[in-house]
Amino acid sequence: MARAVFGLWCCWFMVMVLANGLPEVGVNWGNIASHPLPPKTVVQLLKDNGIRKVKLFDSDPKSLMALEGSGMEVMVAIPNLELQNMADSSINADDWVSEYLLDFVDKVKIRYVAVGNEPFLKSYNGSFVKHTFPALRNIQKALEKAGLGKKIKATVPLNADVYESNSSKPSDGQFRPDVKNLMTQIVKFLRDNDSPFVVNIYPFLSLYDNDNFPIEFAFFEKNGHPVDDKGYQYTNVLDANYDTLLWSLKKIGVDDIKIIIGEIGWPTDGHKHATTKNAHKFYDGLFKRLNDNKGTPLRSSAKFDVYLFGLLDEDQKSIAPGFFERHWGIFRFDGQPKFALDITGKGQNKMPLAAKGVEYLEHQWCVFDTSMVEDTRSWMVQKQTEIACQYGDCTTLTPGGSCNSLSNSSHVSYAFNMFYQINNQKASACDFEGLGMIVKKNASQGQCLFPIMIDSGARERLSFGFGGIIAVILMVLFVFM
Ligand SMILES: *[C@@H]1O[C@H](CO)[C@@H](O)[C@H](O)[C@H]1NC(C)=O
Ligand SMILES: *[C@@H]1O[C@H](CO)[C@@H](O)[C@H](O)[C@H]1NC(C)=O
Ligand SMILES: *[C@@H]1O[C@H](CO)[C@@H](O)[C@H](O)[C@H]1NC(C)=O
Ligand SMILES: *[C@@H]1O[C@H](CO)[C@@H](O)[C@H](O)[C@H]1NC(C)=O
């Protein structure tokens, strides 16, 4: 009895704290990494930093097991490649729900199932267009059949490229013509099921795609020229993009759907705009904006519900979108924080707490032995570096990257070290036809960190996503620039 009373009081107290303060900030937890942190370590990292919502890109039982009893609100996902399967038959969807969700629903607070991830992205050339809506319907039905329909909602995280404005004004927003009819059906389905519309918004990409993009718009600085739209003033990309979506929805007759920002963030390496300094500035502006308790010009009641992208750097992501793609984490791959932040938006920035109990490999590095060949232009050096960068991650060596300014021979060392580390410091992975040399002295130079991999049970996944090969060749070219 006493416990029940205490429990009630405690929850009421928490509700008050929440209502008054912290915005709903979650994070995206991706795992496309050669050496992912153990799931338990990740969940502790989230808890230690007061993060209470997490979005996954799959429904890996290992992640879900680590989330058991954590009280964390979870969005699980069905990858794009599974969409056809889910669309083909409702039995497949039923099976998915019983195989991946039923064991966990009592212990993990699963709120949403993301059906696909940005399936209508322009660069997918329509590959997933046909299967997405049927998959969504089948999953929602399967949830209902399992008695979970009220508790867990199916939705489809979409890239903001599903809508566009032919001017800079939100009021010109509309869904992309090639998916407009489909979007209309999906949106109405979501609304009828009380499911949210999930959209990923990337101010960084606006700047990346267009050097003339007004930079103050990306960083929530109010010193630029606001965009005037029907008497509303826009001073940042988040508000403008959100209202472009609202206008697009309005034009298909939907005014009242809940919106979740499924991904928003800033990368820290691999491009001149992708720096720790810019990421810091972006998150500062974002958290202030999220906490100023204002809606957007068009929906003054809008309460932002966002998931940051992302939690950790992922060294096996496809670099087809750009070299920055492996550097979206607010933490490095090993759970070390990159910069200070304050989720409450009060500007009291402090370093987030690092992951605890992370086990590293030996303190040793592989570097280029310049006593063998001095000239990095030699064919052998170039060839070995190319091999190293095919598997190791050389994205920080590219223009604008944190290691780009090193000397040519240090570029080679960096590449060798990445290959060596990704191969769990196997001695044979520092051979390079005799050009490699293992050293005990920290090989990092200035801003350029030569990492040591974590010991994650020697999980090796040396593969790259589509578009990877061409991008790797490009990356290798940059190594010598
Ligand atoms: C989409 O089409 C472009 C141009 O035809 C092609 O280069 C690209 O590889 C295609 N992407 C996919 C995912 O099919
Ligand atoms: C944008 O499209 C709308 C209608 O679709 C049209 O009325 C308007 O003139 C267009 N604006 C520009 C700048 O092309
Ligand atoms: C190596 O040096 C860098 C930069 O000084 C530092 O950040 C890193 O922690 C060091 N690594 C090890 C394993 O000591
Ligand atoms: C470094 O590499 C570039 C490109 O291959 C070359 O032009 C330059 O001369 C090299 N610098 C040195 C010091 O070898």
Side-chain angles (χ1 to χ4, degrees), residues 370-389:
T370 47
S371 70
M372 301 300 291
V373 181
E374 227 174 283
D375 194 340
T376 55
R377 284 166 299 180
S378 102
W379 181 83
M380 193 159 90
V381 176
Q382 301 246 344
K383 183 78 202 151
Q384 294 303 313
T385 307
E386 191 181 314
I387 292 168
C389 289

mmCIF file of all heavy atoms in Angstrom, residues 370-389:
data_model
loop_
_atom_site.group_PDB
_atom_site.id
_atom_site.type_symbol
_atom_site.label_atom_id
_atom_site.label_comp_id
_atom_site.label_asym_id
_atom_site.label_seq_id
_atom_site.Cartn_x
_atom_site.Cartn_y
_atom_site.Cartn_z
ATOM 1 N N THR A 370 58.831 4.552 -43.148
ATOM 2 C CA THR A 370 59.413 5.351 -44.232
ATOM 3 C C THR A 370 60.868 4.956 -44.526
ATOM 4 O O THR A 370 61.457 5.418 -45.501
ATOM 5 C CB THR A 370 59.381 6.862 -43.932
ATOM 6 O OG1 THR A 370 59.848 7.052 -42.600
ATOM 7 C CG2 THR A 370 57.993 7.432 -44.075
ATOM 8 N N SER A 371 61.442 4.097 -43.659
ATOM 9 C CA SER A 371 62.810 3.672 -43.967
ATOM 10 C C SER A 371 62.817 2.684 -45.135
ATOM 11 O O SER A 371 63.846 2.398 -45.716
ATOM 12 C CB SER A 371 63.468 3.042 -42.734
ATOM 13 O OG SER A 371 62.858 1.797 -42.466
ATOM 14 N N MET A 372 61.639 2.131 -45.450
ATOM 15 C CA MET A 372 61.555 1.173 -46.557
ATOM 16 C C MET A 372 61.474 1.899 -47.902
ATOM 17 O O MET A 372 62.275 1.689 -48.789
ATOM 18 C CB MET A 372 60.320 0.278 -46.407
ATOM 19 C CG MET A 372 60.287 -0.516 -45.119
ATOM 20 S SD MET A 372 61.698 -1.614 -44.936
ATOM 21 C CE MET A 372 61.369 -2.805 -46.217
ATOM 22 N N VAL A 373 60.488 2.756 -48.031
ATOM 23 C CA VAL A 373 60.310 3.535 -49.258
ATOM 24 C C VAL A 373 59.983 4.941 -48.775
ATOM 25 O O VAL A 373 59.144 5.091 -47.905
ATOM 26 C CB VAL A 373 59.099 3.040 -50.084
ATOM 27 C CG1 VAL A 373 58.945 3.855 -51.355
ATOM 28 C CG2 VAL A 373 59.195 1.570 -50.378
ATOM 29 N N GLU A 374 60.587 5.934 -49.296
ATOM 30 C CA GLU A 374 60.309 7.260 -48.786
ATOM 31 C C GLU A 374 59.182 7.936 -49.561
ATOM 32 O O GLU A 374 58.325 8.600 -49.000
ATOM 33 C CB GLU A 374 61.572 8.114 -48.832
ATOM 34 C CG GLU A 374 61.786 8.854 -47.519
ATOM 35 C CD GLU A 374 63.108 9.571 -47.541
ATOM 36 O OE1 GLU A 374 64.163 8.919 -47.361
ATOM 37 O OE2 GLU A 374 63.066 10.777 -47.789
ATOM 38 N N ASP A 375 59.211 7.724 -50.858
ATOM 39 C CA ASP A 375 58.307 8.475 -51.712
ATOM 40 C C ASP A 375 56.916 7.843 -51.733
ATOM 41 O O ASP A 375 56.751 6.717 -52.182
ATOM 42 C CB ASP A 375 58.890 8.513 -53.132
ATOM 43 C CG ASP A 375 58.191 9.555 -53.978
ATOM 44 O OD1 ASP A 375 57.053 9.950 -53.608
ATOM 45 O OD2 ASP A 375 58.776 9.966 -54.994
ATOM 46 N N THR A 376 55.959 8.588 -51.221
ATOM 47 C CA THR A 376 54.602 8.041 -51.159
ATOM 48 C C THR A 376 53.995 7.918 -52.547
ATOM 49 O O THR A 376 52.923 7.363 -52.701
ATOM 50 C CB THR A 376 53.679 8.919 -50.303
ATOM 51 O OG1 THR A 376 53.725 10.247 -50.808
ATOM 52 C CG2 THR A 376 54.087 8.898 -48.856
ATOM 53 N N ARG A 377 54.684 8.470 -53.558
ATOM 54 C CA ARG A 377 54.132 8.347 -54.916
ATOM 55 C C ARG A 377 54.489 7.010 -55.550
ATOM 56 O O ARG A 377 54.052 6.696 -56.633
ATOM 57 C CB ARG A 377 54.614 9.509 -55.789
ATOM 58 C CG ARG A 377 53.886 10.810 -55.467
ATOM 59 C CD ARG A 377 54.587 11.995 -56.076
ATOM 60 N NE ARG A 377 55.952 12.110 -55.550
ATOM 61 C CZ ARG A 377 56.816 13.051 -55.901
ATOM 62 N NH1 ARG A 377 56.471 13.954 -56.793
ATOM 63 N NH2 ARG A 377 58.012 13.096 -55.380
ATOM 64 N N SER A 378 55.313 6.237 -54.837
ATOM 65 C CA SER A 378 55.693 4.938 -55.420
ATOM 66 C C SER A 378 54.445 4.074 -55.603
ATOM 67 O O SER A 378 53.511 4.124 -54.803
ATOM 68 C CB SER A 378 56.716 4.226 -54.524
ATOM 69 O OG SER A 378 56.087 3.225 -53.768
ATOM 70 N N TRP A 379 54.489 3.272 -56.646
ATOM 71 C CA TRP A 379 53.312 2.472 -56.997
ATOM 72 C C TRP A 379 52.931 1.536 -55.851
ATOM 73 O O TRP A 379 51.773 1.380 -55.525
ATOM 74 C CB TRP A 379 53.597 1.661 -58.273
ATOM 75 C CG TRP A 379 52.414 0.843 -58.683
ATOM 76 C CD1 TRP A 379 51.338 1.273 -59.405
ATOM 77 C CD2 TRP A 379 52.174 -0.531 -58.380
ATOM 78 N NE1 TRP A 379 50.431 0.261 -59.562
ATOM 79 C CE2 TRP A 379 50.922 -0.868 -58.948
ATOM 80 C CE3 TRP A 379 52.896 -1.507 -57.683
ATOM 81 C CZ2 TRP A 379 50.374 -2.150 -58.841
ATOM 82 C CZ3 TRP A 379 52.351 -2.781 -57.580
ATOM 83 C CH2 TRP A 379 51.097 -3.084 -58.154
ATOM 84 N N MET A 380 53.962 0.967 -55.200
ATOM 85 C CA MET A 380 53.696 0.008 -54.141
ATOM 86 C C MET A 380 52.973 0.681 -52.964
ATOM 87 O O MET A 380 52.024 0.130 -52.403
ATOM 88 C CB MET A 380 55.006 -0.608 -53.657
ATOM 89 C CG MET A 380 54.765 -1.806 -52.793
ATOM 90 S SD MET A 380 56.191 -2.889 -52.700
ATOM 91 C CE MET A 380 57.055 -2.237 -51.316
ATOM 92 N N VAL A 381 53.415 1.866 -52.602
ATOM 93 C CA VAL A 381 52.784 2.577 -51.486
ATOM 94 C C VAL A 381 51.329 2.899 -51.833
ATOM 95 O O VAL A 381 50.417 2.687 -51.025
ATOM 96 C CB VAL A 381 53.558 3.875 -51.144
ATOM 97 C CG1 VAL A 381 52.848 4.655 -50.054
ATOM 98 C CG2 VAL A 381 54.980 3.545 -50.723
ATOM 99 N N GLN A 382 51.134 3.356 -53.041
ATOM 100 C CA GLN A 382 49.771 3.712 -53.468
ATOM 101 C C GLN A 382 48.860 2.492 -53.433
ATOM 102 O O GLN A 382 47.733 2.544 -52.959
ATOM 103 C CB GLN A 382 49.809 4.298 -54.878
ATOM 104 C CG GLN A 382 50.687 5.535 -54.972
ATOM 105 C CD GLN A 382 49.918 6.804 -55.274
ATOM 106 O OE1 GLN A 382 48.776 6.755 -55.699
ATOM 107 N NE2 GLN A 382 50.539 7.942 -55.041
ATOM 108 N N LYS A 383 49.381 1.389 -53.939
ATOM 109 C CA LYS A 383 48.600 0.150 -54.010
ATOM 110 C C LYS A 383 48.213 -0.325 -52.595
ATOM 111 O O LYS A 383 47.056 -0.679 -52.335
ATOM 112 C CB LYS A 383 49.454 -0.916 -54.719
ATOM 113 C CG LYS A 383 48.775 -2.236 -54.938
ATOM 114 C CD LYS A 383 47.831 -2.174 -56.116
ATOM 115 C CE LYS A 383 46.789 -3.267 -55.986
ATOM 116 N NZ LYS A 383 45.525 -2.924 -56.622
ATOM 117 N N GLN A 384 49.182 -0.312 -51.680
ATOM 118 C CA GLN A 384 48.917 -0.781 -50.318
ATOM 119 C C GLN A 384 47.933 0.143 -49.588
ATOM 120 O O GLN A 384 47.091 -0.298 -48.828
ATOM 121 C CB GLN A 384 50.235 -0.909 -49.529
ATOM 122 C CG GLN A 384 51.176 -1.982 -50.059
ATOM 123 C CD GLN A 384 50.519 -3.353 -50.094
ATOM 124 O OE1 GLN A 384 49.875 -3.782 -49.130
ATOM 125 N NE2 GLN A 384 50.632 -4.049 -51.223
ATOM 126 N N THR A 385 48.062 1.415 -49.858
ATOM 127 C CA THR A 385 47.145 2.371 -49.227
ATOM 128 C C THR A 385 45.731 2.151 -49.729
ATOM 129 O O THR A 385 44.767 2.192 -48.958
ATOM 130 C CB THR A 385 47.598 3.810 -49.549
ATOM 131 O OG1 THR A 385 48.963 3.956 -49.183
ATOM 132 C CG2 THR A 385 46.762 4.817 -48.781
ATOM 133 N N GLU A 386 45.651 1.878 -51.026
ATOM 134 C CA GLU A 386 44.331 1.632 -51.603
ATOM 135 C C GLU A 386 43.666 0.429 -50.942
ATOM 136 O O GLU A 386 42.489 0.474 -50.576
ATOM 137 C CB GLU A 386 44.510 1.384 -53.101
ATOM 138 C CG GLU A 386 43.220 1.380 -53.872
ATOM 139 C CD GLU A 386 43.497 1.111 -55.350
ATOM 140 O OE1 GLU A 386 44.419 1.723 -55.921
ATOM 141 O OE2 GLU A 386 42.786 0.262 -55.916
ATOM 142 N N ILE A 387 44.445 -0.617 -50.745
ATOM 143 C CA ILE A 387 43.901 -1.816 -50.080
ATOM 144 C C ILE A 387 43.452 -1.456 -48.658
ATOM 145 O O ILE A 387 42.354 -1.808 -48.226
ATOM 146 C CB ILE A 387 44.965 -2.939 -50.040
ATOM 147 C CG1 ILE A 387 45.222 -3.449 -51.464
ATOM 148 C CG2 ILE A 387 44.515 -4.080 -49.132
ATOM 149 C CD1 ILE A 387 46.430 -4.340 -51.586
ATOM 150 N N ALA A 388 44.309 -0.726 -47.958
ATOM 151 C CA ALA A 388 43.985 -0.360 -46.572
ATOM 152 C C ALA A 388 42.667 0.410 -46.511
ATOM 153 O O ALA A 388 41.826 0.159 -45.648
ATOM 154 C CB ALA A 388 45.119 0.471 -45.974
ATOM 155 N N CYS A 389 42.480 1.338 -47.463
ATOM 156 C CA CYS A 389 41.286 2.191 -47.425
ATOM 157 C C CYS A 389 40.037 1.499 -47.977
ATOM 158 O O CYS A 389 38.940 2.004 -47.794
ATOM 159 C CB CYS A 389 41.530 3.493 -48.179
ATOM 160 S SG CYS A 389 42.663 4.584 -47.307
#
